[in-house]
């Protein structure tokens, strides 16, 4: 019920958009009804046995999701592991900090030609683009989270005879998890953007590829349909992540209420 209350403005905006675009009559700004009809035709008019997905949906949406989550998960694993290790070693973090600042300042799309040279197109190029672009929020938040763990907790673990690996697993990672999840949430939206950008260069499938083909074919409703689909995917992916985050970090919110 609260979700519906927060989204009441969506149909209101759609109605205003419909009325304004129909009154203007500009082919470059189709009404929402035309966009929805084009989305249905392109992706959601398939057989019920395939969840109404068309051949275009299977051939383009599913590969995009594979790249999105594959690159994001790979960046998450590397960023968390490396960030926690560096966060617990201030000297190592100081050595690597200039390299991190240099790397995060490079726009990932500029490296796509380099990735084509290194990996000769294919899934590796998309994954490399996404990983390079989204690893920084995860890495830096993991470093900050691991570094900010209360020294008392770590000393208590030492007193109880916990090994270094056990202290990382039982004390450091749980204490750093709020900041880690903040980095993961930010990186997820960046992964969606970089997925589309990587598919605009030398790809033969994907939502970004369909967007480019629609633009080249002057199919304006299809261009808007791809944009709308990306917005819907972004909302759904973020909502799912927030749900998981609330479940995992419920102890953190309960601890905050008691202090």
């Amino acid at each position: 019920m609260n979700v519906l209350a927060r989204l009441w403005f969506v149909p209101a905006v759609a109605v205003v958009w419909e009325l304004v675009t129909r009154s203007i009559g500009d082919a470059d700004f189709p009404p929402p009804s035309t966009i929805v009809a084009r989305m249905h035709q392109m992706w959601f008019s398939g057989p019920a046995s395939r969840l109404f997905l068309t051949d275009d949906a299977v051939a383009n949406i599913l590969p995009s999701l594979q790249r999105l989550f594959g690159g994001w998960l790979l960046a998450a694993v590397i960023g968390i592991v490396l960030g926690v290790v560096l966060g617990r070693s201030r000297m190592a973090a100081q050595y690597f900090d200039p390299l991190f600042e240099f790397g995060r300042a490079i726009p990932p799309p500029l490296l796509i030609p380099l990735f084509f040279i290194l990996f000769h197109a294919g899934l590796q190029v998309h994954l490399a683009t996404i990983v390079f672009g989204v690893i920084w929020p995860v890495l830096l938040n993991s470093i900050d989270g691991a570094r900010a763990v209360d020294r008392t907790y770590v000393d208590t673990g030492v007193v109880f005879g916990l090994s270094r690996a056990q202290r990382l697993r039982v004390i450091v990672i749980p204490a750093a998890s709020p900041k880690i999840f903040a980095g993961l949430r930010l990186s997820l939206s960046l992964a969606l953007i970089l997925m589309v950008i990587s598919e605009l260069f030398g790809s033969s499938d994907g939502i970004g590829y369909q967007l480019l083909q629609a633009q080249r074919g002057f199919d304006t409703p299809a261009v808007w349909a791809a944009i709308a689909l990306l917005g819907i995917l972004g909302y759904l992916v973020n909502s799912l992540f927030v749900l998981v985050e609330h479940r995992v970090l419920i102890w953190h919110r309960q601890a905050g209420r008691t202090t």
Side-chain angles (χ1 to χ4, degrees):
M1 193 66 183
N2 291 332
V3 174
L4 295 178
R6 291 196 301 267
L7 296 180
W8 66 268
F9 66 94
V10 174
V13 171
V15 170
V16 173
W17 184 0
E18 182 81 21
L19 295 175
V20 171
T21 51
R22 286 194 177 276
S23 64
I24 294 176
D26 190 342
D28 291 331
F29 297 96
S33 57
T34 302
I35 297 172
V36 171
R38 192 72 174 96
M39 292 176 67
H40 178 264
Q41 178 189 4
M42 292 172 63
W43 299 308
F44 306 112
S45 57
S49 60
R50 207 163 57 186
L51 300 178
F52 302 102
L53 296 176
T54 64
D55 291 337
D56 276 344
V58 174
N60 293 283
I61 297 179
L62 297 185
S64 289
L65 293 178
Q66 177 187 10
R67 294 161 187 153
L68 168 65
F69 290 111
W72 179 73
L73 288 173
L74 186 57
V77 172
I78 297 174
I80 292 173
V81 172
L82 187 59
V84 170
V85 171
L86 293 177
R88 299 309 300 166
S89 175
R90 187 174 297 273
M91 181 176 295
Q94 290 175 349
Y95 278 114
F96 282 98
D97 186 64
L99 181 62
F100 294 156
E101 294 299 326
F102 175 80
R104 65 185 295 211
I106 301 175
L110 295 182
L111 295 179
I112 293 179
L114 174 62
F115 293 146
F116 270 109
I117 295 175
L118 294 176
F119 302 112
H120 308 289
L123 179 61
Q124 294 90 339
V125 174
H126 302 289
L127 293 180
T129 304
I130 296 172
V131 169
F132 182 84
V134 309
I135 194 174
W136 307 112
V138 182
L139 176 62
L140 297 178
N141 276 271
S142 298
I143 291 175
D144 289 343
R147 185 179 296 166
V149 175
D150 194 329
R151 179 75 183 180
T152 305
Y153 298 154
V154 179
D155 291 341
T156 303
V158 174
V159 171
F160 278 93
L162 298 180
S163 65
R164 181 182 294 271
Q166 289 174 325
R167 294 198 298 271
L168 283 175
R169 179 171 53 85
V170 177
I171 299 174
V172 175
I173 293 180
S177 57
K179 285 201 171 186
I180 292 175
F181 269 88
L184 290 173
R185 184 176 181 182
L186 177 59
S187 67
L188 189 56
S189 60
L190 293 175
L192 180 63
I193 296 172
L194 291 172
M195 176 204 75
V196 178
I197 293 176
S198 68
E199 290 176 346
L200 295 176
F201 297 90
S203 179
S204 59
D205 56 21
I207 301 173
Y209 170 77
Q210 280 196 297
L211 176 62
L212 181 62
Q213 294 301 111
Q215 184 266 331
R216 289 175 174 173
F218 301 99
D219 188 352
T220 304
V223 172
W224 282 94
I227 294 172
L229 178 62
L230 291 170
I232 294 171
L233 283 177
Y235 177 80
L236 293 177
V237 168
N238 182 73
S239 299
L240 180 61
F241 181 84
V242 170
L243 180 62
V244 173
E245 181 183 22
H246 285 177
R247 297 269 184 172
V248 174
L249 297 183
I250 187 172
W251 62 269
H252 179 68
R253 297 196 307 276
Q254 292 175 343
R257 296 192 190 102
T258 58
T259 56

